[in-house]
Amino acid sequence: MTSTTPDTPAHLDPRIGELERHIQALMQELHQARYEQRRDALTDALTGLGNRQALANAFHVAQDAATKGAAPPALLLVNLDAFKALKNSAGLAAADQVLVTVAMRIKSAVREDDVVTRLGSDEFAVLLPATPQSRATAVGNRILAALEPNFDLGNNSVRCGASMGLRIAEPRHRIEDLLQEADIAVEESKSEGRNKLKMFDPATLHARQLQRQIVGELREAIRSDQLVLNYQPIVELATGRIEGCEALVRWDHPVHGLIMPDQFIPVAEATGLIAELGRWVLRTAVGQLRHWRDDPATAHHNFSMRINVSAADLQSLEFVDDVSEAMAEESLPPESLVLELTESAIIQNNELDRYTLASLHRLGVGLEIDDFGAGYSSMGYLRKLPVDRVKVDRQFVKDLGKDPSQLAFLAAIQEVIRSCGLEGVWEGIETAEEAEALRSIGCASGQGYYFGRPLPEAEFTAQLQRQTVWPA
């Protein structure tokens, strides 16, 4: 039996040395585990790039350096174009393969000190420490060039370009601000045709903030009766009798006064508020028509209500029900409502549009193509769509009297409309001579300042009470 005496020094005791080595090995394993844990917390599992936290850490280091005299960092935000469609068609495994290849190509196009990260899905970010705009632009264009060649997926290859936004950091910036502003630049790139680098423009951010403000105020306007409808007559050219009126929405803003639709309709369309706005116009206009028909002073007029319909309405499964319910609530026959559709709203001719148009046609409401000739001017689809009328754009009428051949041209348009079994309404009539010229070639209906400007409800009602023909 071997043993050490109490007088044996500890460093000569082999058991203590073995214990120390064991503790050192455990500590090394612990340090390695902690290192790997920290690394994993900062790494994207699929591509091996840094993740959002790694980007934030690198940004803070670069910003600290900028406060000590270095140039500010730049951020390139990269968003792959049509990646969702690629994933749906090629499958998840192929999509992952593309992402891994994208990561490799981006790393090959940047400098050694640049930090390449994947933020999620098909979004990548590159932080360039102490980098002026010109150099950051050059790096961004190298990345776009690297992503240009097709990606080999074995049996086939695919192309997957990118849209890119660039933002140079400022002292006030947080990483969240930098990402948001670079993302605005990415969206600008996508809107201009993709596969290009766009620099962040502060004016775009201001426009976004203004748009958000308008949306909030417009939503409140719909709920608090700030919106009003003006009405403009549509007249039978042969008799001067009113056969319809178009409801035109205005915004009576408590601060800015009367705002015309071209200033808020595009915002409503871009933000999804157009459906709520459209329902308000529909119910208000139909309710007003019911009131005119019930009022003994205006009941002798028997005309239809015309309202404008957006492309979003045609894409809504609830729109047909909204129309049906509005007419039923006011006990109005469906033919007393005419829906005006722009060419751009129906030219897509997709399955949902066709379903909505067919359902509205079966419901019995009138359907009219608005501003005909202003855009696509395709005569072929006139026969295919279940529409009743065509409203010819005002640009054709304005040249009457200036060009001797213009009337013959309008007569040809009128003949095409009639040959398709449709009625024509001519916009932009401003003089008695224009009205007479159109009547002489067989045009049935007209609209324009000659007959009357859009008027608020009270003024239009007074006009209905005292007039039997238009103009008075």
Side-chain angles (χ1 to χ4, degrees):
M1 178 177 179
T2 61
S3 64
T4 59
T5 67
D7 297 327
T8 304
H11 67 278
L12 297 178
D13 188 341
R15 293 179 301 175
I16 294 176
E18 184 179 350
L19 180 61
E20 288 178 345
R21 288 191 295 274
H22 182 61
I23 291 173
Q24 289 174 352
L26 288 174
M27 291 298 293
Q28 187 175 1
E29 288 181 17
L30 180 60
H31 286 309
Q32 181 66 23
R34 286 177 175 172
Y35 168 77
E36 292 176 357
Q37 186 179 33
R38 287 195 297 270
R39 183 194 61 192
D40 291 344
L42 299 173
T43 304
D44 173 60
L46 176 65
T47 63
L49 299 177
N51 58 15
R52 188 177 293 267
Q53 186 59 52
L55 176 66
N57 292 350
F59 172 72
H60 292 316
V61 171
Q63 281 289 72
D64 287 342
T67 63
K68 298 171 184 175
L75 179 71
L76 289 166
L77 195 61
V78 184
N79 193 271
L80 301 184
D81 295 332
F83 182 74
K84 183 177 180 181
L86 183 152
K87 184 164 60 175
N88 291 339
S89 61
L92 292 177
D96 285 349
Q97 184 179 340
V98 168
L99 291 173
V100 171
T101 307
V102 166
M104 294 170 58
R105 290 188 184 184
I106 293 177
K107 289 203 71 173
S108 70
V110 303
R111 305 164 304 179
E112 184 177 351
D113 292 338
D114 298 333
V115 180
V116 183
T117 58
R118 179 181 175 228
L119 304 184
S121 186
D122 60 340
E123 190 171 49
F124 296 81
V126 182
L127 186 80
L128 300 88
T131 304
Q133 180 180 332
S134 58
R135 194 177 303 169
T137 300
V139 174
N141 286 327
R142 284 206 304 270
I143 293 173
L144 289 176
L147 298 177
E148 184 69 23
N150 283 8
F151 293 83
D152 184 11
L153 297 179
N155 295 330
N156 66 327
S157 64
V158 296
R159 185 180 179 279
C160 191
S163 298
M164 185 181 296
L166 168 61
R167 180 59 164 130
I168 306 298
E170 298 179 6
R172 62 176 175 80
H173 266 130
R174 300 175 302 157
I175 185 61
E176 294 83 3
D177 300 327
L178 199 67
L179 284 168
Q180 180 187 24
E181 293 172 4
D183 187 58
I184 290 173
V186 169
E187 291 187 21
E188 288 292 298
S189 172
K190 288 182 180 293
S191 68
E192 292 187 12
R194 304 171 183 268
N195 204 39
K196 60 178 61 177
L197 170 64
K198 291 291 292 183
M199 181 74 185
F200 169 75
D201 182 358
T204 305
L205 177 60
H206 176 70
R208 291 283 186 88
Q209 293 168 338
L210 183 61
Q211 184 183 77
R212 285 196 294 270
Q213 179 183 345
I214 291 174
V215 169
E217 292 183 354
L218 182 55
R219 183 173 283 111
E220 178 61 25
I222 295 171
R223 296 170 181 170
S224 59
D225 295 328
Q226 293 177 24
L227 298 180
V228 294
L229 291 181
N230 282 8
Y231 301 92
Q232 186 176 26
I234 297 164
V235 174
E236 189 178 79
L237 294 179
T239 65
R241 179 186 67 86
I242 182 172
E243 63 176 36
C245 74
E246 183 177 0
L248 300 162
V249 66
R250 307 284 189 262
W251 182 0
D252 189 9
H253 195 283
V255 176
H256 305 296
L258 201 64
I259 300 177
M260 301 303 284
D262 59 350
Q263 295 179 264
F264 62 88
I265 293 294
V267 175
E269 290 178 332
T271 58
L273 198 58
I274 191 67
E276 188 175 349
L277 176 61
R279 279 192 293 272
W280 182 90
V281 171
L282 170 66
R283 292 187 175 277
T284 304
V286 169
Q288 182 59 56
L289 183 61
R290 177 74 274 168
H291 179 75
W292 282 328
R293 292 195 174 189
D294 289 343
D295 185 351
T298 55
H300 58 286
H301 295 292
N302 185 25
F303 58 88
S304 60
M305 179 64 70
R306 317 288 178 94
I307 67 170
N308 294 284
V309 174
S310 70
D313 289 326
L314 295 183
Q315 288 291 299
S316 170
L317 294 172
E318 294 82 22
F319 181 65
V320 177
D321 291 336
D322 289 342
V323 172
S324 178
E325 290 170 7
M327 301 304 288
E329 286 175 7
E330 300 297 343
S331 300
L332 286 169
E335 62 271 14
S336 62
L337 177 67
V338 177
L339 304 177
E340 298 190 359
L341 314 129
T342 61
E343 286 185 272
S344 59
I346 60 177
I347 199 67
Q348 302 299 328
N349 197 27
N350 59 46
E351 187 174 345
L352 186 53
D353 286 352
R354 290 194 297 271
Y355 170 81
T356 302
L357 289 172
S359 299
L360 291 168
H361 185 69
R362 286 193 297 271
L363 189 62
V365 300
L367 297 174
E368 178 176 282
I369 298 175
D370 194 12
D371 297 331
F372 179 75
Y376 302 91
S377 305
S378 171
M379 301 295 184
Y381 69 77
L382 288 181
R383 293 181 177 275
K384 300 176 183 178
L385 295 171
V387 296
D388 313 290
R389 301 171 181 84
V390 170
K391 183 180 281 188
V392 184
D393 188 71
R394 66 186 69 246
Q395 66 174 320
F396 295 102
V397 174
K398 70 178 182 180
D399 290 331
L400 269 177
K402 302 176 185 176
D403 182 354
S405 66
Q406 185 68 7
L407 188 60
F409 177 57
L410 299 190
I413 295 175
Q414 173 66 20
E415 186 57 35
V416 169
I417 293 172
R418 184 183 291 114
S419 70
C420 293
L422 304 174
E423 300 175 20
V425 179
W426 294 77
E427 284 188 294
I429 301 174
E430 297 189 355
T431 66
E433 291 74 20
E434 290 172 349
E436 175 56 28
L438 291 168
R439 188 198 61 77
S440 72
I441 59 173
C443 300
S445 307
Q447 181 179 2
Y449 288 173
Y450 172 63
F451 303 110
R453 293 174 179 268
L455 295 174
E457 178 273 319
E459 294 179 44
F460 194 78
T461 299
Q463 201 173 56
L464 291 174
Q465 291 171 346
R466 66 174 181 263
Q467 288 182 213
T468 56
V469 296
W470 275 257

